[in-house]
Amino acid sequence: MNKNILRRILHYTKPYRKWIVTTIISALIYVLTTLIIPIITGDAINSVVGPRQVDYKAVTIRILIIIVLFVIGAIAEWILSYASNELSYKTVKDMRKDAIDKILNVDLKHLDAMATGDIITNVITDVDQVSDGLIQCFKQFFTGIITIIGTLVLMFVICFPIAIAVVILTPLSLFVASYIAKSSAETFKLQSNKRGELGAFVNEYLSNQSIVTSYGLEQKTIDDFEKINQELDKYGFKSQIFGALINPSTRFVNAIIYAVLAVGGALIVLDGRFGLTIGALYSFLTYASHYTKPFNEISGVIAELQNSFASAKRIFAFLDIEDQSSDKNNYVLRDPQGNFNLDNVSFSYNDKKIVIDNLNLEIKKGTAVAIVGPTGCGKTTLINLLMRFYDVNQGIIKLDNHDIKTLTRNSLREGFGMVLQDSWIFKGSIRDNVAYSVDNATEEEIIAACKSSKVHNFVMRMEHGYDTIIDDASGLSEGQKQLICIARLMLKDPKILILDEATSSLDTRSEIIIQNNFKKLIKGKTSFIIAHRLATIKEADIILVMKNGQIVERGTHEALLSQKGFYFELYNAQFNGE
Amino acid sequence: MIELYRKYLKKYKKEVILGPLFKLIEAIFELIVPLVVAYIIDHGIKNKEFETIYKMGGVLIALAVVGLCSTLVCQFFASKVSQKVGTQMRKDLYVHINSLSNREIDKLTVSSLQTRLVNDTIQVQNSIAMLIRLAIRAPFIVVGATIMSFMISPTLAIIFVFATLAIGLIIFLVSKFSLPHNKKMQQQLDDLTVITKENLTGARVVRAFSKQQYEQKRFYDKANSLEKTSLKIAKISSCLNPLTSVVVNMTIVLIIYFGMFQVESASLTQGQIISLVNYMTQISIAIVVVANLVVLFSKASASSKRINEVFNTSSSIINGTEKFEDSKISIEFKKVDMRYSDSAMNALSDINFKVESGMTLGIIGGTGAGKSTLINLLMRFYDVNNGEILINGLNIKEYDIKSLRENIAVVHQKPTLFSGTIKANLKYGKEDATEDEMYEALKMANAYDFVCEKEGLETVVLQGGKNFSGGQKQRLAIARALIRNPKLLILDDATSALDYKTEAEVKKAIFKRFKGTMIVISQRVATIKNLDQIIVLEDGLIVGFGNHRDLYENCEVYREICDSQLSKDEVNRDE
């Protein structure tokens, strides 16, 4: 499984091969210099034995060599670090671009089925994790391995018996570190779960502090909080202890190795058989710490890489979701008229509950269609099908006698304009938000649309007017946000209108003004209106009364009232309060 | 930060002093190691004394063992103290937040309070652990190693001082130059998050207006500039390691170079050169630790500022002493003005009205008219800026808040259910409610049927009640309010998500059973027109007060609202 993911990550790095090559070359140079410097330093020390036993010339030459080496090493190290950053950032940028393309091109049913927060985590946090992993992989993992191999080779060349001792002893510290890490992994997980739980608890209760205080529940929530807090304390302490053990333990093991090397080395120097000099002993002691360092680092990097793999797995799972079917070769509908035919249309979101059942409907151009019915009866679903956000399970929907599946999605949707129940605002100026529906709208057109949607009134009261930057949390009321969405529609002046609870956030007096403007807008056009307040749809040409996915009644307001059926019941309930 | 430390570490004086002391033992031992090695070389090897070599080897191991033990003691103290302090601090914070009024919570915001409670306390907690573990040790190593090298060779040790300063300067400069870019990068990442979120929540709008390419470009542009900033940071921060290693290597070279003259003149030995080099390595490692500590403590200092800000905020609402024990509630507002802290305008101005006990009052008006503010005042979530509110003739400020709230139940427009079960949620209303009472309340709120359809009282409620529709949530919230059997019931647009038919049924059931004082807020005339009295609010002012018929005759705003919602026939109909 991991191999597969690794291959895909590497695939992403393909365009940046030159950076990979740069990284590898600079890593080799860098490691080489760090390995050679201790040898030459040891050599230099060998030339400084005691009074009248100092070889000035030899020392000076070696010092010059060392200076050249560490300058080269430093440059190589900088290139290594920069190149691996370059590689990683370029790679993850491509990943993010693929992710947004996926978001823009995937079937809505997939997006609807996923939590927004999860996808955001995917695109932001998980990709960052992969980026960290890539950097670490090249900067530490790779150089670590070269260092280990290089050190081993050099140690064996200098002195065989001590090299053997180092090889046998050093894994000890690694073993200790990984043993502690492994046995503490569970505790760390529990700790982070508890932290998450505490955060969720605080968020839930503080957001609703009014309820807590109005029901006098302060002490109860404090007790509940303290319960989680105490559990966090328990796991937190354990995690801390484990975390605090790793460094001292590995340091201890390293100190023991150091002692063994110092004593063993000294004995071998005295023994003289292996030609070990004091300078070489110095090199060895340096190597011993060089050699254990990458081991310690690598164990950290491996944990990091595992996280990166887990993140990459989630990203790829998202990227692997099938795109919507291609509509490249479909018919491009120009100038739609708004004649709809629905033949035997059935639809369900999850195969379990049928939301629309065998629906037949013919709508002529210019008809104002109202859809009413209790919550969950399939009103909004119908809109999803008409705009092809979802595809029907059975039957055919035709627009101007074309099966909408044979049209390009963009040309189908081009004819529509809509205001949905949830107002959508993006971060940008009010002008950009309104002009979203029409490319190249002129300032006059924008202001005209804002005037007929009452946006102009409140914009004029803002300091920066149409240049005011807004976003979803910028303090606009729900009503104002909805008005901006309405302005978008007014600006577009589409052939087919969809008003899905388009005035639900407005107070009734503003609603009346907007409704009157809608009336002008929909004249001669096909429109679909979903509304809770039945007063707003009385004048529709045809009212469809839906119940459990089926149209149970259809007709004009008067005709439906005289039928004394379900519509009559709904209508009376609304206005009589009885 | 010091203030916070002093407050919480008082209880742990012993650990805070002993911990670093034990750590110092290890540090001292670590400083002795190079000396021992030098001794092995200069005496053991040069004089061929095997016994010295073994002995010194034994010393090295003994140093390691004792060092380990004393560190472990320190680590234990550090973990224990920091964890206990963190836990206590979280609790104190949460208790304190619960004592604040809505005015203060609004100002601090919930998301910020959440960060302070979870992340900031952990930050301070970590800083305490590090304070005990490293804050003494790392500087000690730097100073100690420098002193040791002074003892070996005062002239060579001067190089150490310069090297230490140079490394410090490098760390300072690198972090100084990369800091502004780091901030920018964080901002760009946030922007990217916002665009992603917008594309997810607005998936339908983007598709409907065929804006895929526009959105793609918007995202690509941000992703590209994020990459640019990241690489700028990479360029700068990649300098850190190469530059420090240049300084360290340069120092070693200088030690050998100048050292050889001293060896020649017999004022220094070969072994001592090696130990000087070792000290330099120890210093360079310790300086990196110090740099990390500086970052950690500056973070912790920012966190503790944010924590203290909460502790230093006190509730603007002062509790009264009068226990509320009456069996009825009457309300009077006298010349009440109210303004929220972040607002330039009054939310309510010059509000005067009176509701006798057992009466019903309707409040109608557009968004932002001040309807919910009125309720906030009655619940004493906020205090008035001017004027007074009388409950049964006594100023609301005189009452013990808790005893007053026990007798009031509010249902909000966006009702909140807590995660748990339906039963647990109803128990929030009345802790000792029996199952019969629960069913009774559910029936009154017209929630009985759908609750039974699910799994009855044991039905699980997810966070935010997201497994219920808006209308179901409202009905459950009404049931939770009714089960309290309150003396004042406030329905704050509490039936807005119900279709008219269901709303009518709920209303009917409540009217039949509930006999206390009731306030109903709505935007719908039909919801309030039959109540005893109606207040018409506009922009924080009362523009009409009376019953439906009076208001329709005399209040223009009310008449406009009625005409916008009802037919002539409906306006005149009485029930």
Side-chain angles (χ1 to χ4, degrees):
Chain A
M1 196 62 201
N2 270 3
K3 221 183 244 170
N4 206 0
I5 292 167
L6 185 67
R7 198 176 308 137
R8 290 188 69 174
I9 296 178
L10 288 179
H11 183 76
Y12 267 97
T13 61
K14 235 183 203 163
Y16 310 113
R17 246 189 212 148
K18 64 170 184 186
W19 292 111
I20 301 187
V21 176
T22 315
T23 324
I24 294 174
I25 294 174
S26 53
L28 279 172
I29 297 176
Y30 163 65
V31 172
L32 218 60
T33 56
T34 56
L35 290 179
I36 297 174
I37 289 176
I39 297 186
I40 302 180
T41 313
D43 259 6
I45 293 176
N46 272 340
S47 309
V48 190
V49 182
R52 275 171 305 284
Q53 285 173 287
V54 176
D55 183 345
Y56 287 106
K57 202 176 152 208
V59 173
T60 315
I61 290 172
R62 295 207 160 75
I63 283 178
L64 287 177
I65 296 175
I66 293 173
I67 292 177
V68 171
L69 280 176
F70 71 63
V71 169
I72 293 175
I75 294 169
E77 192 185 5
W78 185 85
I79 294 174
L80 164 66
S81 168
Y82 181 74
S84 47
N85 275 297
E86 180 95 32
L87 174 71
S88 134
Y89 290 134
K90 287 221 150 61
T91 307
V92 300
K93 182 187 69 183
D94 291 348
M95 255 181 213
R96 286 210 170 106
K97 285 182 174 175
D98 284 352
I100 194 75
D101 288 351
K102 182 58 72 178
I103 292 176
L104 290 169
N105 291 311
V106 76
D107 254 346
L108 271 182
K109 67 174 172 205
H110 298 302
L111 286 190
D112 287 347
M114 278 183 273
T116 310
D118 287 348
I119 303 179
I120 294 176
T121 312
N122 251 314
V123 181
I124 306 298
T125 325
D126 282 338
V127 173
D128 264 352
Q129 179 62 50
V130 172
S131 148
D132 284 348
L134 274 173
I135 294 180
Q136 297 235 4
C137 172
F138 281 99
K139 249 171 94 174
Q140 293 185 317
F141 192 69
F142 190 58
T143 53
I145 288 177
I146 307 181
T147 310
I148 291 171
I149 296 172
T151 320
L152 275 177
V153 171
L154 286 172
M155 283 197 296
F156 275 102
V157 171
I158 300 173
C159 180
F160 192 77
I162 301 199
I164 293 277
V166 173
V167 171
I168 294 171
L169 289 173
T170 35
L172 262 180
S173 79
L174 195 68
F175 175 74
V176 169
S178 75
Y179 175 78
I180 297 174
K182 214 181 269 169
S183 48
S184 60
E186 186 63 18
T187 325
F188 274 102
K189 213 175 90 196
L190 284 171
Q191 176 187 235
S192 89
N193 286 349
K194 275 291 162 222
R195 269 183 201 173
E197 199 181 314
L198 195 78
F201 179 92
V202 168
N203 187 295
E204 184 172 5
Y205 280 88
L206 288 186
S207 312
N208 301 300
Q209 193 64 12
S210 296
I211 308 270
V212 172
T213 41
S214 57
Y215 284 101
L217 296 169
E218 291 92 336
Q219 196 50 50
K220 183 174 158 33
T221 62
I222 288 173
D223 292 345
D224 289 347
F225 175 88
E226 187 56 9
K227 222 182 276 161
I228 305 175
N229 195 21
Q230 281 306 332
E231 280 170 48
L232 176 62
D233 182 77
K234 199 171 77 193
Y235 298 125
F237 177 66
K238 271 191 202 160
S239 310
Q240 277 217 46
I241 284 282
F242 274 125
L245 277 180
I246 294 182
N247 269 331
S249 316
T250 50
R251 223 170 24 227
F252 172 71
V253 175
N254 288 341
I256 297 292
I257 294 171
Y258 195 85
V260 170
L261 284 186
V263 172
L267 293 178
I268 291 174
V269 172
L270 281 181
D271 184 65
R273 242 185 298 170
F274 295 91
L276 190 73
T277 61
I278 292 179
L281 180 61
Y282 160 80
S283 318
F284 248 112
L285 291 176
T286 319
Y287 279 149
S289 57
H290 266 281
Y291 180 70
T292 46
K293 215 175 92 187
F295 269 119
N296 291 342
E297 276 175 5
I298 284 174
S299 58
V301 172
I302 286 175
E304 186 83 25
L305 284 181
Q306 273 170 345
N307 283 337
S308 300
F309 272 128
S311 288
K313 201 168 159 184
R314 282 194 290 271
I315 298 168
F316 290 139
F318 178 65
L319 292 180
D320 282 344
I321 297 172
E322 207 183 331
D323 269 342
Q324 58 195 6
S325 56
S326 166
D327 60 359
K328 245 185 220 156
N329 302 318
N330 285 10
Y331 182 69
V332 178
L333 181 69
R334 296 191 196 284
D335 199 23
Q337 299 299 307
N339 294 301
F340 284 95
N341 276 296
L342 280 72
D343 295 331
N344 297 317
V345 169
S346 293
F347 178 78
S348 98
Y349 285 102
N350 53 12
D351 299 330
K352 270 192 219 143
K353 198 183 153 203
I354 292 173
V355 186
I356 294 207
D357 190 15
N358 204 21
L359 180 67
N360 286 291
L361 191 62
E362 188 186 349
I363 294 155
K364 285 261 177 312
K365 175 191 174 186
T367 315
V369 184
I371 309 167
V372 301
T375 328
C377 69
K379 290 172 297 193
T380 301
T381 305
L382 196 60
I383 305 301
N384 278 333
L385 297 180
L386 287 176
M387 294 190 75
R388 238 193 126 193
F389 292 144
Y390 283 76
D391 279 335
V392 294
N393 296 104
Q394 273 171 38
I396 296 179
I397 298 178
K398 284 184 187 160
L399 169 59
D400 297 346
N401 265 324
H402 298 282
D403 180 346
I404 58 170
K405 282 187 182 171
T406 66
L407 303 173
T408 65
R409 289 186 184 81
N410 281 354
S411 75
L412 164 70
R413 290 169 188 160
E414 185 56 40
F416 285 89
M418 57 169 200
V419 178
L420 300 181
Q421 199 171 3
D422 295 322
S423 306
W424 182 72
I425 299 291
F426 62 89
K427 190 176 176 186
S429 68
I430 293 185
R431 180 185 295 105
D432 288 348
N433 262 286
V434 172
Y436 196 73
S437 55
V438 176
D439 298 329
N440 312 320
T442 66
E443 186 76 11
E444 287 75 33
E445 287 167 340
I446 294 173
I447 293 181
C450 287
K451 278 186 175 157
S452 52
S453 58
K454 298 275 136 202
V455 169
H456 194 67
N457 295 21
F458 70 84
V459 169
M460 281 299 105
R461 274 183 278 141
M462 293 175 163
E463 194 186 345
H464 301 290
Y466 282 98
D467 294 319
T468 310
I469 300 291
I470 52 171
D471 62 36
D472 207 38
S474 62
L476 290 182
S477 71
E478 281 305 314
Q480 288 170 328
K481 283 187 209 166
Q482 196 160 44
L483 288 177
I484 288 176
C485 295
I486 290 170
R488 244 180 234 157
L489 178 81
M490 299 262 182
L491 179 65
K492 184 169 183 186
D493 192 11
K495 292 282 167 52
I496 307 158
L497 288 95
I498 288 180
L499 306 172
D500 185 357
E501 300 277 7
T503 52
S504 57
S505 301
L506 307 181
D507 61 79
T508 48
R509 285 198 297 158
S510 314
E511 189 176 24
I512 292 237
I513 299 168
I514 297 295
Q515 289 290 354
N516 282 332
N517 291 337
F518 275 155
K519 250 178 239 165
K520 283 180 223 153
L521 196 69
I522 64 173
K523 201 161 264 171
K525 294 170 191 154
T526 308
S527 56
F528 297 88
I529 304 158
I530 296 176
H532 220 78
R533 295 195 263 255
L534 297 186
T536 57
I537 51 116
K538 273 189 212 167
E539 288 162 47
D541 297 318
I542 181 168
I543 298 172
L544 307 177
V545 186
M546 292 190 76
K547 194 178 177 185
N548 299 327
Q550 276 177 318
I551 296 182
V552 290
E553 290 168 26
R554 60 177 89 183
T556 60
H557 174 68
E558 282 73 23
L560 286 173
L561 277 189
S562 61
Q563 275 182 27
K564 305 224 166 194
F566 187 53
Y567 182 80
F568 178 80
E569 212 178 294
L570 280 176
Y571 188 79
N572 278 334
Q574 232 176 68
F575 292 106
N576 293 343
E578 289 289 83
Chain B
M1 182 157 65
I2 311 266
E3 190 187 329
L4 213 56
Y5 278 179
R6 196 176 296 157
K7 180 169 158 197
Y8 282 100
L9 291 177
K10 217 188 268 163
K11 261 166 73 182
Y12 303 103
K13 262 187 200 140
K14 184 185 80 191
E15 287 89 344
V16 173
I17 295 168
L18 285 182
L21 278 182
F22 275 101
K23 198 76 183 192
L24 273 188
I25 296 176
E26 194 221 4
I28 292 169
F29 287 177
E30 205 172 307
L31 289 176
I32 297 176
V33 169
L35 288 183
V36 178
V37 174
Y39 195 81
I40 290 180
I41 291 171
D42 290 337
H43 295 268
I45 297 182
K46 297 230 164 115
N47 306 335
K48 299 201 169 34
E49 295 168 6
F50 285 94
E51 203 178 321
T52 315
I53 295 176
Y54 289 128
K55 247 192 218 156
M56 287 302 121
V59 170
L60 283 179
I61 288 177
L63 289 176
V65 173
V66 180
L68 175 71
C69 293
S70 55
T71 315
L72 290 185
V73 172
C74 169
Q75 308 291 73
F76 177 80
F77 283 159
S79 306
K80 185 180 139 191
V81 172
S82 63
Q83 194 64 42
K84 286 274 171 268
V85 166
T87 304
Q88 185 63 39
M89 196 157 42
R90 273 188 288 278
K91 184 182 178 188
D92 291 351
L93 255 185
Y94 192 73
V95 169
H96 187 77
I97 292 170
N98 266 284
S99 76
L100 299 179
S101 81
N102 288 41
R103 211 181 266 271
E104 289 80 46
I105 292 179
D106 290 351
K107 218 170 169 183
L108 293 163
T109 76
V110 171
S111 62
S112 162
L113 284 173
Q114 186 188 346
T115 326
R116 291 171 209 229
L117 260 168
V118 182
N119 302 2
D120 286 334
T121 52
I122 288 176
Q123 204 67 254
V124 172
Q125 178 182 316
N126 284 346
S127 79
I128 291 176
M130 287 305 153
L131 177 81
I132 299 176
R133 280 163 56 176
L134 292 176
I136 310 288
R137 181 183 192 274
F140 179 81
I141 293 268
V142 175
V143 175
T146 312
I147 292 174
M148 295 300 255
S149 46
F150 263 104
M151 273 157 50
I152 296 173
S153 164
T155 43
L156 289 183
I158 293 172
I159 304 172
F160 277 55
V161 176
F162 282 111
T164 310
L165 291 178
I167 295 176
L169 189 70
I170 290 167
I171 294 172
F172 172 75
L173 287 179
V174 168
S175 50
K176 192 191 153 191
F177 283 117
S178 57
L179 194 67
H181 295 298
N182 273 324
K183 271 189 191 148
K184 198 168 153 200
M185 186 177 87
Q186 195 51 50
Q187 181 59 46
Q188 284 167 334
L189 201 62
D190 287 348
D191 289 347
L192 214 56
T193 313
V194 168
I195 296 176
T196 311
K197 190 175 168 195
E198 285 171 356
N199 269 291
L200 291 168
T201 54
R204 280 177 171 69
V205 184
V206 173
R207 282 164 172 73
F209 291 125
S210 302
K211 283 292 200 178
Q212 287 95 334
Q213 275 177 1
Y214 172 85
E215 291 297 333
Q216 191 189 43
K217 185 175 176 302
R218 207 154 73 97
F219 186 93
Y220 278 20
D221 286 350
K222 270 283 173 274
N224 286 337
S225 44
L226 174 67
E227 182 214 323
K228 249 194 205 149
T229 316
S230 310
L231 286 178
K232 253 182 217 156
I233 298 174
K235 248 178 221 166
I236 301 169
S237 59
S238 294
C239 291
L240 185 63
N241 285 330
L243 285 181
T244 25
S245 67
V246 164
V247 173
V248 172
N249 280 316
M250 197 64 217
T251 317
I252 293 174
V253 163
L254 289 176
I255 290 169
I256 296 174
Y257 183 76
F258 291 112
M260 74 181 168
F261 297 107
Q262 298 192 358
V263 172
E264 178 70 21
S265 64
S267 55
L268 198 69
T269 67
Q270 192 183 18
Q272 282 173 327
I273 289 191
I274 294 182
S275 33
L276 282 175
V277 172
N278 280 340
Y279 282 129
M280 189 58 230
T281 318
Q282 283 183 347
I283 289 180
S284 66
I285 294 172
I287 287 182
V288 175
V289 174
V290 172
N292 289 338
L293 280 180
V294 170
V295 175
L296 186 88
F297 278 107
S298 59
K299 271 189 197 162
S301 154
S303 286
S304 58
K305 252 184 219 145
R306 289 150 53 81
I307 291 172
N308 274 326
E309 193 190 350
V310 178
F311 277 131
N312 294 336
T313 307
S314 52
S315 177
S316 55
I317 289 179
I318 298 150
N319 202 5
T321 49
E322 193 74 25
K323 282 258 184 280
F324 185 89
E325 285 161 348
D326 304 349
S327 58
K328 293 186 237 171
I329 286 184
S330 73
I331 302 159
E332 187 173 3
F333 275 56
K334 276 184 173 171
K335 294 192 167 174
V336 166
D337 291 340
M338 162 68 191
R339 178 186 299 189
Y340 291 103
S341 29
D342 56 347
S343 171
M345 273 165 41
N346 277 352
L348 288 175
S349 297
D350 196 29
I351 301 295
N352 293 289
F353 69 88
K354 194 168 180 191
V355 185
E356 298 296 346
S357 62
M359 301 288 269
T360 55
L361 171 74
I363 304 176
I364 194 165
T367 39
K371 298 176 307 241
S372 296
T373 307
L374 218 68
I375 303 312
N376 285 337
L377 293 178
L378 267 178
M379 291 299 288
R380 255 200 114 192
F381 292 147
Y382 299 86
D383 271 340
V384 298
N385 292 71
N386 286 308
E388 56 179 1
I389 298 171
L390 305 178
I391 302 288
N392 294 351
L394 190 64
N395 192 320
I396 194 167
K397 292 181 182 173
E398 304 290 331
Y399 289 107
D400 171 57
I401 300 175
K402 217 171 146 102
S403 72
L404 185 64
R405 284 182 186 153
E406 269 166 14
N407 292 286
I408 307 176
V410 193
V411 186
H412 294 276
Q413 182 187 8
K414 285 191 184 153
T416 311
L417 301 180
F418 294 107
S419 38
T421 60
I422 289 186
K423 197 179 202 171
N425 269 283
L426 290 175
K427 283 198 165 184
Y428 277 115
K430 188 180 175 196
E431 206 153 340
D432 53 355
T434 64
E435 293 210 350
D436 286 345
E437 285 175 304
M438 291 184 192
Y439 284 124
E440 188 61 22
L442 288 173
K443 275 181 195 158
M444 265 166 92
N446 204 337
Y448 183 74
D449 289 343
F450 75 81
V451 169
C452 289
E453 249 172 58
K454 299 195 176 206
E455 280 131 66
L457 293 175
E458 300 300 333
T459 309
V460 171
V461 180
L462 299 180
Q463 185 178 359
K466 60 184 165 200
N467 53 336
F468 292 93
S469 74
Q472 290 173 335
K473 274 194 271 186
Q474 286 191 336
R475 280 178 277 171
L476 286 175
I478 292 173
R480 185 174 60 191
L482 288 173
I483 206 167
R484 282 172 83 87
N485 198 13
K487 302 189 175 85
L488 170 62
L489 176 66
I490 301 172
L491 303 176
D492 181 0
D493 236 342
T495 51
S496 61
L498 302 183
D499 57 61
Y500 283 76
K501 194 163 171 254
T502 318
E503 182 190 26
E505 283 166 17
V506 173
K507 246 172 65 182
K508 199 170 155 190
I510 296 176
F511 270 110
K512 214 163 102 191
R513 308 288 303 277
F514 181 72
K515 295 297 167 215
T517 313
M518 178 152 77
I519 298 180
V520 182
I521 296 179
S522 181
Q523 294 201 26
R524 297 180 192 168
V525 178
T527 311
I528 51 108
K529 78 188 248 272
N530 300 320
L531 302 182
D532 298 330
Q533 288 168 305
I534 298 166
I535 289 176
V536 186
L537 274 179
E538 186 169 66
D539 298 332
L541 292 166
I542 292 184
V543 293
F545 183 49
N547 63 28
H548 171 65
R549 211 155 286 279
D550 296 342
L551 287 170
Y552 194 76
E553 292 292 313
N554 306 318
C555 175
E556 200 193 324
V557 175
Y558 187 74
R559 193 160 52 238
E560 278 178 26
I561 299 173
C562 285
D563 291 345
S564 73
Q565 294 179 6
L566 307 175
S567 66
K568 199 99 232 129
D569 180 41
E570 288 153 358
V571 168
N572 294 321
R573 197 175 342 180
D574 280 327
E575 288 104 34

